Amino acid sequence: GSGRASIVIGNFSNEMMALYTSVGHGLFIDEAPRSAVGRNSLLTLTFTAIAARRGFAPLGVRPGLAAWLLGTSALFLAIGRALASDPFLAAAVAGFWALAPSAWAPALLGAGFLAKGPVVLVPTVVPILAVALLSRDRAPLARLGWGRAWWLLPAIGLPWYLVVAASTPGLLPYFLGDQIWARYATPDPQRGGPPWYFVVVLAAGALPWTPALIAGLIRTWHERARLEARLLLAWLFAPLVLPALSGSKLPAYLLPAFPAVALLAARGL
């Protein structure tokens, strides 16, 4: 680098961060948009293509098309490379759907837990459980790949939280009470929104592929007898519905569902 000091500034009001580099004379520039930290978006695109070819192969989605649609969607372009936890969560979620039920899938859940906490289960495990429950069928549970590999989730996701909580008195109650429960259950005037907030984010964030998304949704709904169709719909709707009940809403919260948006839009073209 330049040898000048760099600083990272976290803003817990909107969960974005900035990477400022000194250019001298008391001036700083934000290097985050062009820093290597945005490369996690390449992982999301890659995992989306793998999910199309591997996890959702029976639906006939072209992997390259799905990755291209994701990479050119408005929401992904706007915040997919941001220096924040949500793009890393989106990469972990796409990786889970791409690699499940292999042993690598729980490892990706652990990485997502490390990036964002237990919310990683909403666009991954919750859709699978919902499909199994609503269809009264155990077949979807095979995607979870129950086995010894699931120790990777706590092994990767928990140590940092445990170390920090042990070394910072009062942090654990604050994290569980304020950052998880209160954020979900208590309306936030700076982050609030109506119940249809994420529907608007979805429609606007999918541009210019929103018409293709609608067509893909209709087609996939008509083919819902297929397990892969039900799982893909659940991947989209679980992170769309559950955060809508939260008192805290931000467009970035829907980012982990956008690989599913891309797969559905590809089916609509």
Side-chain angles (χ1 to χ4, degrees), residues 105-124:
L108 268 298
L109 288 183
F113 193 100
L114 180 62
K116 192 73 174 179
V119 72
V120 69
L121 302 177
V122 174
T124 53

PDB file of all heavy atoms in Angstrom, residues 105-124:
ATOM      1  N   ALA A 105     -21.777 -28.114   3.336  1.00  0.00           N
ATOM      2  CA  ALA A 105     -22.931 -27.247   3.579  1.00  0.00           C
ATOM      3  C   ALA A 105     -22.988 -26.740   5.021  1.00  0.00           C
ATOM      4  O   ALA A 105     -23.176 -25.541   5.258  1.00  0.00           O
ATOM      5  CB  ALA A 105     -24.224 -27.962   3.192  1.00  0.00           C
ATOM      6  N   PRO A 106     -22.826 -27.603   6.048  1.00  0.00           N
ATOM      7  CA  PRO A 106     -22.802 -27.080   7.420  1.00  0.00           C
ATOM      8  C   PRO A 106     -21.641 -26.124   7.665  1.00  0.00           C
ATOM      9  O   PRO A 106     -21.757 -25.203   8.484  1.00  0.00           O
ATOM     10  CB  PRO A 106     -22.674 -28.350   8.275  1.00  0.00           C
ATOM     11  CG  PRO A 106     -23.197 -29.447   7.420  1.00  0.00           C
ATOM     12  CD  PRO A 106     -22.801 -29.075   6.031  1.00  0.00           C
ATOM     13  N   ALA A 107     -20.523 -26.345   6.967  1.00  0.00           N
ATOM     14  CA  ALA A 107     -19.400 -25.423   7.116  1.00  0.00           C
ATOM     15  C   ALA A 107     -19.781 -24.030   6.617  1.00  0.00           C
ATOM     16  O   ALA A 107     -19.418 -23.012   7.218  1.00  0.00           O
ATOM     17  CB  ALA A 107     -18.182 -25.944   6.353  1.00  0.00           C
ATOM     18  N   LEU A 108     -20.535 -23.969   5.522  1.00  0.00           N
ATOM     19  CA  LEU A 108     -21.001 -22.679   5.010  1.00  0.00           C
ATOM     20  C   LEU A 108     -21.978 -22.036   5.977  1.00  0.00           C
ATOM     21  O   LEU A 108     -21.996 -20.806   6.145  1.00  0.00           O
ATOM     22  CB  LEU A 108     -21.642 -22.859   3.632  1.00  0.00           C
ATOM     23  CG  LEU A 108     -20.731 -22.700   2.403  1.00  0.00           C
ATOM     24  CD1 LEU A 108     -20.165 -21.298   2.331  1.00  0.00           C
ATOM     25  CD2 LEU A 108     -19.596 -23.716   2.397  1.00  0.00           C
ATOM     26  N   LEU A 109     -22.816 -22.848   6.626  1.00  0.00           N
ATOM     27  CA  LEU A 109     -23.708 -22.301   7.653  1.00  0.00           C
ATOM     28  C   LEU A 109     -22.898 -21.713   8.806  1.00  0.00           C
ATOM     29  O   LEU A 109     -23.256 -20.669   9.363  1.00  0.00           O
ATOM     30  CB  LEU A 109     -24.644 -23.389   8.177  1.00  0.00           C
ATOM     31  CG  LEU A 109     -25.768 -23.855   7.249  1.00  0.00           C
ATOM     32  CD1 LEU A 109     -26.636 -24.886   7.957  1.00  0.00           C
ATOM     33  CD2 LEU A 109     -26.615 -22.684   6.786  1.00  0.00           C
ATOM     34  N   GLY A 110     -21.809 -22.393   9.179  1.00  0.00           N
ATOM     35  CA  GLY A 110     -20.947 -21.857  10.216  1.00  0.00           C
ATOM     36  C   GLY A 110     -20.345 -20.521   9.825  1.00  0.00           C
ATOM     37  O   GLY A 110     -20.269 -19.596  10.642  1.00  0.00           O
ATOM     38  N   ALA A 111     -19.927 -20.391   8.560  1.00  0.00           N
ATOM     39  CA  ALA A 111     -19.387 -19.127   8.083  1.00  0.00           C
ATOM     40  C   ALA A 111     -20.459 -18.041   8.099  1.00  0.00           C
ATOM     41  O   ALA A 111     -20.193 -16.890   8.459  1.00  0.00           O
ATOM     42  CB  ALA A 111     -18.829 -19.300   6.673  1.00  0.00           C
ATOM     43  N   GLY A 112     -21.690 -18.414   7.714  1.00  0.00           N
ATOM     44  CA  GLY A 112     -22.782 -17.451   7.755  1.00  0.00           C
ATOM     45  C   GLY A 112     -23.133 -17.033   9.168  1.00  0.00           C
ATOM     46  O   GLY A 112     -23.449 -15.867   9.426  1.00  0.00           O
ATOM     47  N   PHE A 113     -23.057 -17.989  10.101  1.00  0.00           N
ATOM     48  CA  PHE A 113     -23.302 -17.673  11.510  1.00  0.00           C
ATOM     49  C   PHE A 113     -22.243 -16.716  12.026  1.00  0.00           C
ATOM     50  O   PHE A 113     -22.542 -15.774  12.774  1.00  0.00           O
ATOM     51  CB  PHE A 113     -23.301 -18.965  12.338  1.00  0.00           C
ATOM     52  CG  PHE A 113     -23.840 -18.803  13.726  1.00  0.00           C
ATOM     53  CD1 PHE A 113     -25.140 -19.174  14.026  1.00  0.00           C
ATOM     54  CD2 PHE A 113     -23.056 -18.281  14.745  1.00  0.00           C
ATOM     55  CE1 PHE A 113     -25.645 -19.030  15.312  1.00  0.00           C
ATOM     56  CE2 PHE A 113     -23.547 -18.127  16.029  1.00  0.00           C
ATOM     57  CZ  PHE A 113     -24.850 -18.501  16.314  1.00  0.00           C
ATOM     58  N   LEU A 114     -21.013 -16.931  11.638  1.00  0.00           N
ATOM     59  CA  LEU A 114     -19.929 -16.044  12.040  1.00  0.00           C
ATOM     60  C   LEU A 114     -20.140 -14.638  11.495  1.00  0.00           C
ATOM     61  O   LEU A 114     -19.852 -13.646  12.172  1.00  0.00           O
ATOM     62  CB  LEU A 114     -18.596 -16.607  11.557  1.00  0.00           C
ATOM     63  CG  LEU A 114     -17.336 -15.805  11.886  1.00  0.00           C
ATOM     64  CD1 LEU A 114     -17.146 -15.689  13.394  1.00  0.00           C
ATOM     65  CD2 LEU A 114     -16.107 -16.456  11.241  1.00  0.00           C
ATOM     66  N   ALA A 115     -20.671 -14.536  10.271  1.00  0.00           N
ATOM     67  CA  ALA A 115     -20.867 -13.226   9.641  1.00  0.00           C
ATOM     68  C   ALA A 115     -22.060 -12.476  10.203  1.00  0.00           C
ATOM     69  O   ALA A 115     -22.010 -11.254  10.368  1.00  0.00           O
ATOM     70  CB  ALA A 115     -21.031 -13.401   8.130  1.00  0.00           C
ATOM     71  N   LYS A 116     -23.153 -13.182  10.528  1.00  0.00           N
ATOM     72  CA  LYS A 116     -24.406 -12.482  10.840  1.00  0.00           C
ATOM     73  C   LYS A 116     -25.167 -13.067  12.019  1.00  0.00           C
ATOM     74  O   LYS A 116     -26.167 -12.494  12.453  1.00  0.00           O
ATOM     75  CB  LYS A 116     -25.301 -12.498   9.588  1.00  0.00           C
ATOM     76  CG  LYS A 116     -26.505 -11.590   9.614  1.00  0.00           C
ATOM     77  CD  LYS A 116     -26.160 -10.120   9.459  1.00  0.00           C
ATOM     78  CE  LYS A 116     -27.416  -9.273   9.346  1.00  0.00           C
ATOM     79  NZ  LYS A 116     -27.108  -7.838   9.216  1.00  0.00           N
ATOM     80  N   GLY A 117     -24.735 -14.222  12.527  1.00  0.00           N
ATOM     81  CA  GLY A 117     -25.450 -14.816  13.637  1.00  0.00           C
ATOM     82  C   GLY A 117     -26.498 -15.824  13.197  1.00  0.00           C
ATOM     83  O   GLY A 117     -26.505 -16.285  12.047  1.00  0.00           O
ATOM     84  N   PRO A 118     -27.435 -16.161  14.060  1.00  0.00           N
ATOM     85  CA  PRO A 118     -28.401 -17.237  13.779  1.00  0.00           C
ATOM     86  C   PRO A 118     -29.353 -16.949  12.630  1.00  0.00           C
ATOM     87  O   PRO A 118     -30.061 -17.850  12.183  1.00  0.00           O
ATOM     88  CB  PRO A 118     -29.164 -17.380  15.104  1.00  0.00           C
ATOM     89  CG  PRO A 118     -28.947 -16.092  15.833  1.00  0.00           C
ATOM     90  CD  PRO A 118     -27.591 -15.619  15.424  1.00  0.00           C
ATOM     91  N   VAL A 119     -29.370 -15.713  12.125  1.00  0.00           N
ATOM     92  CA  VAL A 119     -30.245 -15.396  10.996  1.00  0.00           C
ATOM     93  C   VAL A 119     -29.885 -16.215   9.762  1.00  0.00           C
ATOM     94  O   VAL A 119     -30.706 -16.365   8.845  1.00  0.00           O
ATOM     95  CB  VAL A 119     -30.188 -13.884  10.685  1.00  0.00           C
ATOM     96  CG1 VAL A 119     -28.860 -13.508  10.057  1.00  0.00           C
ATOM     97  CG2 VAL A 119     -31.333 -13.459   9.781  1.00  0.00           C
ATOM     98  N   VAL A 120     -28.676 -16.790   9.728  1.00  0.00           N
ATOM     99  CA  VAL A 120     -28.288 -17.626   8.588  1.00  0.00           C
ATOM    100  C   VAL A 120     -29.224 -18.812   8.410  1.00  0.00           C
ATOM    101  O   VAL A 120     -29.374 -19.361   7.300  1.00  0.00           O
ATOM    102  CB  VAL A 120     -26.832 -18.120   8.762  1.00  0.00           C
ATOM    103  CG1 VAL A 120     -26.727 -19.113   9.912  1.00  0.00           C
ATOM    104  CG2 VAL A 120     -26.307 -18.751   7.487  1.00  0.00           C
ATOM    105  N   LEU A 121     -29.917 -19.219   9.471  1.00  0.00           N
ATOM    106  CA  LEU A 121     -30.827 -20.364   9.391  1.00  0.00           C
ATOM    107  C   LEU A 121     -32.124 -20.025   8.664  1.00  0.00           C
ATOM    108  O   LEU A 121     -32.805 -20.928   8.174  1.00  0.00           O
ATOM    109  CB  LEU A 121     -31.138 -20.872  10.798  1.00  0.00           C
ATOM    110  CG  LEU A 121     -29.936 -21.296  11.646  1.00  0.00           C
ATOM    111  CD1 LEU A 121     -30.390 -21.708  13.033  1.00  0.00           C
ATOM    112  CD2 LEU A 121     -29.166 -22.422  10.966  1.00  0.00           C
ATOM    113  N   VAL A 122     -32.471 -18.732   8.578  1.00  0.00           N
ATOM    114  CA  VAL A 122     -33.756 -18.339   7.971  1.00  0.00           C
ATOM    115  C   VAL A 122     -33.813 -18.667   6.486  1.00  0.00           C
ATOM    116  O   VAL A 122     -34.806 -19.243   6.017  1.00  0.00           O
ATOM    117  CB  VAL A 122     -34.042 -16.852   8.239  1.00  0.00           C
ATOM    118  CG1 VAL A 122     -35.295 -16.391   7.487  1.00  0.00           C
ATOM    119  CG2 VAL A 122     -34.223 -16.609   9.734  1.00  0.00           C
ATOM    120  N   PRO A 123     -32.799 -18.325   5.678  1.00  0.00           N
ATOM    121  CA  PRO A 123     -32.884 -18.664   4.250  1.00  0.00           C
ATOM    122  C   PRO A 123     -32.305 -20.030   3.909  1.00  0.00           C
ATOM    123  O   PRO A 123     -32.145 -20.342   2.725  1.00  0.00           O
ATOM    124  CB  PRO A 123     -32.066 -17.548   3.590  1.00  0.00           C
ATOM    125  CG  PRO A 123     -31.073 -17.153   4.624  1.00  0.00           C
ATOM    126  CD  PRO A 123     -31.629 -17.491   5.967  1.00  0.00           C
ATOM    127  N   THR A 124     -32.010 -20.852   4.886  1.00  0.00           N
ATOM    128  CA  THR A 124     -31.393 -22.152   4.612  1.00  0.00           C
ATOM    129  C   THR A 124     -32.180 -23.296   5.262  1.00  0.00           C
ATOM    130  O   THR A 124     -32.892 -24.032   4.583  1.00  0.00           O
ATOM    131  CB  THR A 124     -29.933 -22.160   5.115  1.00  0.00           C
ATOM    132  OG1 THR A 124     -29.906 -21.743   6.497  1.00  0.00           O
ATOM    133  CG2 THR A 124     -29.063 -21.214   4.302  1.00  0.00           C
TER     134      THR A 124
END
